[in-house]
Amino acid sequence: MRRFRFLLAAALACAAMAALSASAQTVLRMNTSLARDSSYGVAVDTFAREVETGTGGRYRIQNSYSAALGDERGSIEGLQLGTLDLTMTSTGPVPNFVPEVAIFDIPFLFRDYAQARAVLDGPIGQEMLKQFEPKGIEALAWGENGFRNMTNNKRPIRTPADLEGLKMRTMENPIHIEAYRALGILPTPMAFTEVFTALQQGTVDGQENPLSVILSAKLYQVQKYLTLTGHVYSPALILMSKARWDELSPADKQVFLAAAREAVKVNRARIDHDEKNAVAELRAHGMQVIEHIDKAAFQAALAPTFADLGRKFGQANIDRIRNYQ
Ligand code: EAX
């Protein structure tokens, strides 16, 4: 019986392989900025698996991790040029391509994870995904990077005054740069690929990222102080070259969209897990962690920035997100 089962399995495997080689297989290249063992890594792996099974192996996703095929800005450009097929990216450099998206990068916009996810999955977020199409990009789904927290090597951050003159790497994101400057920080925008070395060599004093990223990128090796500022929510996106997307059949498009939704589930679950465990783990790695700050003091320091962003994006649009239930 056991032998029969083995033969049957072998025969089925052969048949599957024959079917695969008879029909052409399209390989799509997907690049992401974080390691395989990260909230993006597990998401793109899930995406690849779901696409492959959902299309019966007609499509295969070849994943690259840790920005092996380029940083986030370069990856988005690659989608437009057709030199890259897919990417999972933070919104860091996205406003340079689709300016409207920057509304989600406003500090202290979202209350908590549940609200951020509800907004992105709801009509406001889904409407925003359509803004990518005219730029040659198909946005398959919102994913997540997480609430960002500040780390540095100079001093523990407890109040906005502690940020004065701190040289901090920021994403290449105009909203972040404007807000951090208002907090007294000296922002140094650069791609994530440069961050570890810049911290190690002291080119910058600090940086800010979600706990999940601080862990997966091992930033604790080059940073002493961590403060849970949670000053801004950082969304992520699963993006595809529109040229590639347009080649898919309507049924395959549905497979890709469903695969992206599955990927986001795994991505968010990993972040939930990291949020629970990271502080203890980072302390064990020697970081000094300040867990509680007076967030209202940081928000007050941003009052002129909020007023400016209210004019830029329309206060009603911001309030619609802020008050979304
Ligand atoms: O996308 O650039 C950043 O700090 C991002 O948070 C990170 O690369 C994950």
Side-chain angles (χ1 to χ4, degrees):
M1 187 62 190
R2 198 174 274 167
R3 186 172 159 74
F4 172 73
R5 269 208 210 120
F6 170 77
L7 286 174
L8 184 67
L12 283 174
C14 284
M17 266 155 65
L20 215 64
S21 58
S23 68
Q25 186 183 53
T26 305
V27 178
L28 299 176
R29 295 193 309 163
M30 184 166 199
N31 186 45
T32 195
S33 52
L34 298 178
R36 186 163 199 180
D37 184 15
S38 72
S39 80
Y40 293 1
V42 293
V44 297
D45 282 353
T46 301
F47 180 76
R49 203 187 54 231
E50 293 291 317
V51 164
E52 209 164 326
T53 51
T55 61
R58 284 179 291 106
Y59 283 91
R60 189 163 72 80
I61 310 293
Q62 197 177 74
N63 277 324
S64 298
Y65 313 88
S66 302
L69 297 183
D71 61 30
E72 293 190 336
R73 175 194 281 267
S75 296
I76 299 167
E77 280 165 2
L79 301 182
Q80 292 181 316
L81 297 169
T83 52
L84 181 70
D85 303 312
L86 289 139
T87 192
M88 181 159 188
T89 179
S90 74
T91 53
V94 169
N96 302 306
F97 300 85
V98 189
E100 301 91 318
V101 174
I103 195 169
F104 295 139
D105 295 317
I106 297 176
F108 298 109
L109 178 67
F110 296 106
R111 271 191 308 280
D112 52 28
Y113 278 101
Q115 193 219 359
R117 292 169 184 181
V119 168
L120 296 174
D121 294 346
I124 301 174
Q126 297 308 299
E127 197 54 43
M128 193 68 88
L129 292 179
K130 297 194 189 120
Q131 306 299 323
F132 288 80
E133 275 171 33
K135 307 294 159 93
I137 299 166
E138 188 69 28
L140 301 186
W142 286 106
E144 184 164 83
N145 193 16
F147 278 95
R148 303 178 79 87
N149 300 297
M150 295 183 187
T151 69
N152 83 97
N153 277 330
K154 283 274 190 238
R155 52 183 173 264
I157 304 302
R158 293 193 172 87
T159 68
D162 297 325
L163 295 172
E164 196 60 45
L166 207 62
K167 208 166 170 202
M168 195 176 273
R169 175 270 173 173
T170 72
M171 297 201 288
E172 299 164 277
N173 184 293
I175 306 300
H176 286 196
I177 293 168
E178 177 180 348
Y180 301 166
R181 195 169 281 138
L183 288 170
I185 292 168
L186 302 175
T188 307
M190 63 176 86
F192 188 66
T193 45
E194 318 282 329
V195 174
F196 191 94
T197 311
L199 294 170
Q200 193 170 38
Q201 297 181 342
T203 319
V204 290
D205 303 318
Q207 65 86 46
E208 39 80 62
N209 249 303
L211 290 172
S212 183
V213 174
I214 296 170
L215 263 184
S216 70
K218 301 186 168 48
L219 298 184
Y220 51 80
Q221 292 181 351
V222 288
Q223 291 283 267
K224 176 94 189 103
Y225 303 107
L226 163 66
T227 300
L228 302 190
T229 45
H231 55 280
V232 66
Y233 177 80
S234 186
L237 285 153
I238 298 179
L239 303 177
M240 185 166 179
S241 157
K242 189 168 180 318
R244 284 295 93 66
W245 171 258
D246 289 342
E247 290 163 9
L248 298 179
S249 71
D252 285 342
K253 282 181 179 165
Q254 291 311 312
V255 172
F256 274 61
L257 289 172
R261 283 193 293 269
E262 277 307 302
V264 170
K265 274 188 207 156
V266 175
N267 158 241
R268 288 173 176 170
R270 172 62 182 262
I271 289 169
D272 287 340
H273 173 270
D274 287 347
E275 285 283 328
K276 279 198 199 90
N277 300 294
V279 168
E281 216 171 306
L282 293 171
R283 279 204 172 108
H285 283 298
M287 287 196 95
Q288 188 178 314
V289 185
I290 289 116
E291 291 192 63
H292 303 291
I293 53 152
D294 178 11
K295 286 202 182 166
F298 287 79
Q299 282 167 291
L302 286 172
T305 308
F306 290 142
D308 180 55
L309 297 177
R311 281 188 294 273
K312 198 174 273 168
F313 292 105
Q315 193 56 46
N317 294 325
I318 297 174
D319 291 342
R320 212 171 130 228
I321 297 171
R322 214 185 276 288
N323 302 327
Y324 191 84
Q325 298 292 340

